[in-house]
Amino acid sequence: MEFAVSMTCNGCVNSVKKSLQGVEGVKSVQVNLDTDQVIVESSLPSSKVQSLIESTGKRAVLQGYGNNATQSLGAAVAQMEFGQRGIRGIIRLVQTNQSTCVVDGTVDGLPAGKHKLYVHECGDISAGCNSCGDVFGLTESKKEKPLGEIGNIEADRDGRSQFRLTNTDLKVWDIIGRSMVIHQGQDDTPKPYMPQIYNRLVCGIIARSAGLFQNTKKICACDGVTLWDERDKPVAGPGRKSKI
């Protein structure tokens, strides 16, 4: 994962390196003072890596997500802001190879406990999460696991869920324009699969986004907002920053 970090001297570089040194799940760290760039190879959710970097007092923005060794095959993002009031978050997806999709997210305001994460067929939020259609890839017989079933996430007692999941069925290029939906409660019901009946807490449209080394200046070129302005936008619920 690639972060832009506000650094001014070699002392800043050393502080950033020290904040990540010896942390379980962090495999390597590269810091470039000239470009304010920090590349971290890690199995941790990006929000946790960002929090470690910002423990130094430096602001950090996730600019790209992928594999440092090879160019990712596609990346996407869903801003989770439609549904029950007070639930907000960001979920990112990156296709690291032909068979692996990494799903990384932070969502605030959820009921404490386990919930289910799905990709739904439609990117239609005209009626909130109820217009997102069925789960993507749900078969007519409903006897097989649908392609859009990503897995369980868990919110702590403060309502925050930070997660990093891998999926061998999803392909990023197949789900651009569809929607990401969090259903309340863990799905432990007997089959057939009928995930459409569960309470839909929050949803967002899946949009194409920057992969590693593809977003050097701005979060979004269309609105001209600098990454530091975007970093400070409160989109993740009351009292939270977006952690974009």
Side-chain angles (χ1 to χ4, degrees), residues 82-146:
F82 303 96
Q84 292 192 14
R85 187 173 183 179
I87 304 177
R88 296 287 186 274
I90 299 289
I91 298 177
R92 294 180 176 84
L93 305 98
V94 63
Q95 194 75 34
T96 57
N97 55 50
Q98 289 285 346
S99 60
T100 305
C101 179
V102 176
V103 183
D104 175 286
T106 299
V107 181
D108 288 311
L110 293 166
K114 291 185 178 181
H115 306 292
K116 200 75 171 185
L117 186 62
Y118 289 102
V119 173
H120 279 241
E121 290 180 345
C122 308
D124 179 5
I125 51 173
S126 59
C129 302
N130 290 328
S131 55
C132 293
D134 282 339
V135 171
F136 174 58
L138 189 65
T139 62
E140 186 174 348
S141 67
K142 298 182 174 65
K143 292 182 179 180
E144 299 174 359
K145 175 184 172 181

Side-chain angles (χ1 to χ4, degrees), residues 104-227:
D104 175 286
T106 299
V107 181
D108 288 311
L110 293 166
K114 291 185 178 181
H115 306 292
K116 200 75 171 185
L117 186 62
Y118 289 102
V119 173
H120 279 241
E121 290 180 345
C122 308
D124 179 5
I125 51 173
S126 59
C129 302
N130 290 328
S131 55
C132 293
D134 282 339
V135 171
F136 174 58
L138 189 65
T139 62
E140 186 174 348
S141 67
K142 298 182 174 65
K143 292 182 179 180
E144 299 174 359
K145 175 184 172 181
L147 290 174
E149 181 179 319
I150 296 175
N152 292 317
I153 63 174
E154 186 166 5
D156 61 24
R157 63 183 181 180
D158 294 324
R160 166 162 282 197
S161 178
Q162 296 174 292
F163 52 89
R164 186 180 189 274
L165 307 171
T166 58
N167 187 287
T168 57
D169 297 320
L170 288 180
K171 303 291 184 289
V172 165
W173 49 84
D174 290 334
I175 59 175
I176 300 294
R178 302 186 189 277
S179 59
M180 186 75 71
V181 183
I182 295 176
H183 294 228
Q184 186 170 13
Q186 185 176 0
D187 184 4
D188 288 328
T189 59
K191 305 307 178 272
Y193 287 89
M194 296 189 66
Q196 69 270 25
I197 69 174
Y198 294 98
N199 187 19
R200 302 178 185 190
L201 293 173
V202 66
C203 55
I205 297 173
I206 300 170
R208 194 179 307 278
S209 75
L212 203 63
F213 309 122
Q214 294 177 347
N215 191 19
T216 59
K217 295 294 184 182
K218 294 181 174 63
I219 296 296
C220 179
C222 60
D223 61 10
V225 176
T226 68
L227 57 88

